[in-house]
Amino acid sequence: MARVVVDVMLKPEILDPQGQAVANALPRLGVTDVSSVRIGRRIEIEFDGEPDLDRAREIADKLLANPVIEDYAVRVESAAEVA
C-alpha cells in the first residue's frame, strides 16, 4: 500500500481568518516571536500497489482543493515519515 499526501493551503494573497485568530491568541500563551500563522489541511490517499501521483493530482484539482483560492502540493510519503 502506498500513501500519497496532499497539502492544501490558501493562496498567499487570500486572507486566512483562522490563522489570524491563532496568531492573535499566541501572546496570551506567552508566545511573542511568531509573526504569522496560516492554516491548511493535509489529506492522505492510500493506493493499492504503487502510488499514482497523476491520479492524486487529478483528485486534488477536481475534489480536494479550490484552485481559485487554494494551492496544493502532492507527494509520496516515505516509510520513514509514517513511522
Side-chain angles (χ1 to χ4, degrees), residues 21-67:
V22 170
N24 292 339
L26 289 174
R28 292 193 297 269
L29 298 174
V31 179
T32 58
D33 58 345
V34 174
S35 60
S36 177
V37 176
R38 307 269 307 161
I39 303 292
R41 61 189 185 279
R42 170 188 164 114
I43 300 104
E44 297 178 357
I45 304 170
E46 292 187 354
F47 287 95
D48 295 328
E50 291 299 310
D52 188 339
L53 288 177
D54 290 333
R55 178 65 57 129
R57 284 186 192 93
E58 180 183 4
I59 292 168
D61 194 56
K62 292 181 178 178
L63 184 64
L64 302 177
N66 178 347

